[in-house]
């Protein structure tokens, strides 16, 4: 895993590889876990609801914990939820929480990444700007080690990074007042999932550029990177890696997790 720096000869307008420095980039994970989950209809934030006897986020963390290439996994929780984690003692030693969640998902990711990169200023073992950060929703508890490794394999040598996503299987409609106004071509449409894997410094800069506008339009990390001019790579995920969002999703998640045992 290397990063090659080259110098640009602006007078000639050509790129010349006058000097090449090799820096090993490592993989870290950041899990936004600070949402209220209002669409789920649960009393507490959905990521803490039990699925098959274990809180949803613990299923998510079990998948991340199985990926050997992840150096550290940081879970960004809301400052209000810092105490609300009954099964935290089960955590692997390279996991920890940061109670710096924000008002939106993008803000939670930005706050977590800002804190991580600040730590890296004084500690070379902590996240550096050239390291990869995999951002994964706490609410996607069905992701597998295999899918995460597929993303890492596909992106490690990529200039930009990318995300798990699914080609749209169904016909896509737009609606006005509950009636179809148009059928859209689906050939080039994908459903974005997580993890999304980018260089920590580039992702932080892309989010920072949108911070003043309250992260308007930033619905995932890839959208921030796109606004910064990058074209993230699409890596085929799985239909099972859905985000638990609505009340009926809990039973489906429980069935699928149960069927894996
Ligand atoms: O609300 P939604 O399901 O889209 O959230 C996706 C993920 O982002 C969840 O894991 C949720 O906990 C997290 N999130 C967050 N901070 C927020 C809102 C959502 O970390 N303010």
């Amino acid at each position: 895993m290397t990063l090659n720096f080259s110098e640009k000869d602006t007078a000639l307008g050509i790129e010349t590889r006058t000097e090449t420095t090799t820096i090993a980039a490592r993989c870290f994970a950041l899990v936004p876990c600070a949402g209220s989950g209002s669409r789920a209809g649960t009393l507490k934030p959905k990521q803490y609801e039990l699925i098959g006897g274990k809180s949803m986020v613990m299923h998510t963390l079990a998948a991340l914990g199985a990926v050997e290439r992840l150096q550290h996994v940081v879970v960004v929780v809301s400052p209000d939820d810092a105490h609300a984690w009954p099964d935290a003692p089960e955590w692997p030693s390279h996991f920890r929480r940061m109670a710096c969640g924000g008002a939106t998902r993008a803000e939670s990711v930005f706050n977590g990444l800002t804190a991580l990169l600040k730590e890296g200023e004084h500690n070379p073992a902590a996240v550096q700007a050239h390291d990869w950060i995999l951002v994964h929703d706490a609410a996607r508890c069905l992701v597998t080690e295999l899918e995460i490794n597929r993303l890492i394999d596909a992106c490690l040598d990529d200039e930009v990074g990318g995300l798990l996503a699914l080609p749209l299987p169904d016909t896509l409609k737009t609606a006005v007042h509950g009636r179809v106004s148009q059928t859209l071509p689906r050939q080039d449409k994908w459903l974005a999932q997580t993890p999304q894997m980018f260089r920590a410094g580039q992702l932080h800069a892309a989010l920072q550029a949108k911070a003043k506008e309250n992260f308007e339009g930033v619905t995932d990390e890839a959208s921030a990177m796109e606004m910064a001019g990058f074209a993230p790579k699409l890596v085929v995920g799985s239909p099972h890696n859905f985000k638990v969002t609505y009340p009926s999703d809990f039973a489906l998640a429980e069935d699928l997790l149960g069927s894996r045992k």
Side-chain angles (χ1 to χ4, degrees):
M1 199 175 357
T2 57
L3 244 193
N4 294 317
F5 291 107
S6 59
E7 285 177 5
K8 203 168 204 171
D9 186 331
T10 43
L12 294 172
I14 52 167
E15 201 170 52
T16 46
R17 292 198 173 270
T18 50
E19 195 179 312
T20 299
T21 312
T22 300
I23 301 175
R26 302 158 298 170
C27 294
F28 294 81
L30 187 155
V31 179
C33 185
S36 61
S38 51
R39 288 175 290 180
T42 52
L43 287 176
K44 54 186 167 196
K46 64 180 174 185
Q47 59 273 24
Y48 302 118
E49 282 291 319
L50 297 186
I51 297 184
K54 209 156 93 169
S55 62
M56 185 199 299
V57 61
M58 291 306 290
H59 291 286
T60 308
L61 298 188
L64 289 163
V67 179
E68 286 183 2
R69 282 178 287 182
L70 290 177
Q71 307 272 322
H72 286 286
V73 178
V74 168
V75 186
V76 175
V77 300
S78 158
D80 302 332
D81 295 342
H83 55 283
W85 203 313
D87 34 17
E90 289 174 25
W91 282 31
S93 59
H94 63 299
F95 280 52
R96 73 188 156 119
R97 275 178 291 181
M98 279 184 171
C100 59
T104 60
R105 181 186 178 284
E107 193 179 16
S108 296
V109 173
F110 179 64
N111 290 350
L113 205 44
T114 303
L116 286 176
L117 286 166
K118 201 153 186 61
E119 284 177 3
E121 286 172 15
H122 311 289
N123 177 8
V127 179
Q128 304 296 313
H130 62 267
D131 284 324
W132 292 106
I133 189 96
L134 277 78
V135 179
H136 181 68
D137 291 331
R140 286 185 197 270
C141 59
L142 286 139
V143 73
T144 62
E145 175 193 356
L146 192 80
E147 288 151 20
I148 301 168
N149 275 318
R150 192 190 306 148
L151 177 72
I152 295 176
D153 288 339
C155 293
L156 264 185
D157 292 327
D158 194 79
E159 291 283 309
V160 178
L163 61 149
L164 287 182
L166 267 191
L168 190 72
D170 301 314
T171 300
L172 186 64
K173 311 278 189 196
T174 54
V176 176
H177 304 309
R179 289 191 169 270
V180 174
S181 64
Q182 217 186 337
T183 298
L184 300 174
R186 68 164 175 226
Q187 286 75 9
D188 59 349
K189 308 284 187 305
W190 291 64
L191 296 166
Q193 304 182 335
T194 69
Q196 303 201 357
M197 169 172 169
F198 297 105
R199 300 272 181 193
Q202 286 181 342
L203 177 59
H204 184 260
L207 288 168
Q208 190 156 43
K210 298 300 292 179
K212 270 196 235 90
E213 299 158 40
N214 278 331
F215 305 98
E216 178 75 37
V218 179
T219 48
D220 63 356
E221 291 61 56
S223 59
M225 293 294 285
E226 292 153 41
M227 289 176 208
F230 296 101
K233 186 172 186 178
L234 291 158
V235 180
V236 175
S238 155
H240 289 184
N241 184 23
F242 61 87
K243 190 172 60 175
V244 176
T245 305
Y246 300 108
S248 60
D249 293 339
F250 287 88
L252 181 58
E254 185 157 349
D255 283 353
L256 288 169
L257 284 167
S259 73
R260 288 179 186 172
K261 282 179 189 147

